Amino acid sequence: MIMFKGLRRLTACLLVLCVLMAALPAPARADSGDTQTTVQTVGHTVCYVRYGANPYATIIGCLEDGTKLTVLGKVNNYYRIDCFDLIGYIAAEQVQQDENGDFFVSCAAESSETTSLPAYSATDALQLKGQIRDLAMQQIGVPYVSGGTTPYGFDCSGFTQYVFNNSGHAMNRSLYIQMQDSIIIAKEDLQCGDLIIFENTTGWGHFASHIGIYIGNGQLIHAGSHGIAVVGLEEAYYTYHYMCARRVILTDLSQETVIPAIGINQNINSSYWRESSQTETESGGLFLGFTCIF
């Protein structure tokens, strides 16, 4: 009888152990549709750039701690700055001057205008960018579908979300949030895996209406009206509608970025034209176009 009770206890313990093992997540597989690597991230301090000079204005991107600024003026408690030909506003508490009088970003730790974005080691970042490019290229020929987020059909931000999520970096569905969760960079600093944003591609005057992934050598892969395809950034259409470049895959090594001064002569594609074409609400919000068919 004692032996029988002991056997029942052993059987019960084995059953519990089996249930616990079954509940554990299965290891990720390195196929074309799944995350190919697991990387460790650290916080990367950045501050918000807003469309208007108030805390309720739409966030149009972020700048890294230490970034040099071209300040154009001051409105209330915000500096008006030029972010690589994109006019924006940054809270005055996020800005300091050096001994030469030059302005630079100095993120205030406890400020609501400061946030943290994930950053990777240089090795992990390089691997992640390669995975992003490879997975994006595997989707060439997939048709354009408004609202599409799968290899059965993509729209522009659905494509970028799918590629980044399935390469190992979590990304929001919204084009607006994709802009917000990335840092503003110069076009000449583009690297594989960066995002490129275009304006007014729908013809409805949208400030931001299309997004794609830079894959190097002056090329962009995106979900256009003819499906997923690779195009050259120097083509007239993309040069005309180019708005700004963004970096999503950050490294834990700070890189100083210099924002160029504005030239006196501005053409129709300048930041001044873009600023005047933006549709702003009374609260300082910004209407962003998320559908991109062209």
Side-chain angles (χ1 to χ4, degrees), residues 57-222:
T58 301
I59 298 169
I60 59 174
C62 297
L63 287 175
E64 294 181 282
D65 202 27
T67 302
K68 289 185 179 179
L69 299 172
T70 296
V71 172
L72 307 175
K74 192 174 183 181
V75 180
N76 300 323
N77 293 319
Y78 285 79
Y79 283 108
R80 186 169 180 263
I81 61 171
D82 177 13
C83 303
F84 308 111
D85 284 336
L86 184 67
I87 299 298
Y89 293 84
I90 182 173
E93 63 185 2
Q94 306 284 17
V95 178
Q96 290 189 18
Q97 285 182 279
D98 61 21
E99 61 277 8
N100 297 317
D102 295 324
F103 293 91
F104 66 94
V105 174
S106 179
C107 295
E110 302 302 321
S111 172
S112 60
E113 297 293 299
T114 300
T115 190
S116 180
L117 297 179
Y120 305 87
S121 71
T123 300
D124 286 339
L126 186 62
Q127 182 178 0
L128 187 52
K129 291 176 182 181
Q131 291 173 184
I132 289 168
R133 183 185 186 281
D134 292 345
L135 184 56
M137 296 293 285
Q138 291 172 23
Q139 311 310 312
I140 290 178
V142 172
Y144 179 92
V145 174
S146 181
T149 60
T150 73
Y152 293 102
F154 292 110
D155 65 14
C156 65
S157 57
F159 173 62
T160 52
Q161 182 200 35
Y162 174 85
V163 170
F164 277 79
N165 279 356
N166 287 280
S167 296
H169 181 92
M171 177 173 281
N172 193 278
R173 169 73 175 91
S174 163
L175 181 153
Y176 158 63
I177 301 297
Q178 291 178 16
M179 291 174 62
Q180 178 177 313
D181 290 346
S182 54
I183 64 167
I184 304 167
I185 61 171
K187 189 175 184 179
E188 56 267 27
D189 291 334
L190 277 166
Q191 298 175 2
C192 180
D194 290 340
L195 297 177
I196 303 176
I197 300 167
F198 301 88
E199 62 183 350
N200 196 24
T201 56
T202 62
W204 301 331
H206 289 162
F207 171 63
S209 58
H210 189 61
I211 192 168
I213 303 170
Y214 185 70
I215 56 173
N217 298 319
Q219 293 183 313
L220 169 84
I221 186 167
H222 70 136

Side-chain angles (χ1 to χ4, degrees), residues 38-73:
T38 300
V39 294
Q40 298 296 320
T41 62
V42 295
H44 196 84
T45 304
V46 297
C47 68
Y48 293 130
V49 178
R50 296 186 179 272
Y51 172 74
N54 66 76
Y56 306 105
T58 301
I59 298 169
I60 59 174
C62 297
L63 287 175
E64 294 181 282
D65 202 27
T67 302
K68 289 185 179 179
L69 299 172
T70 296
V71 172
L72 307 175

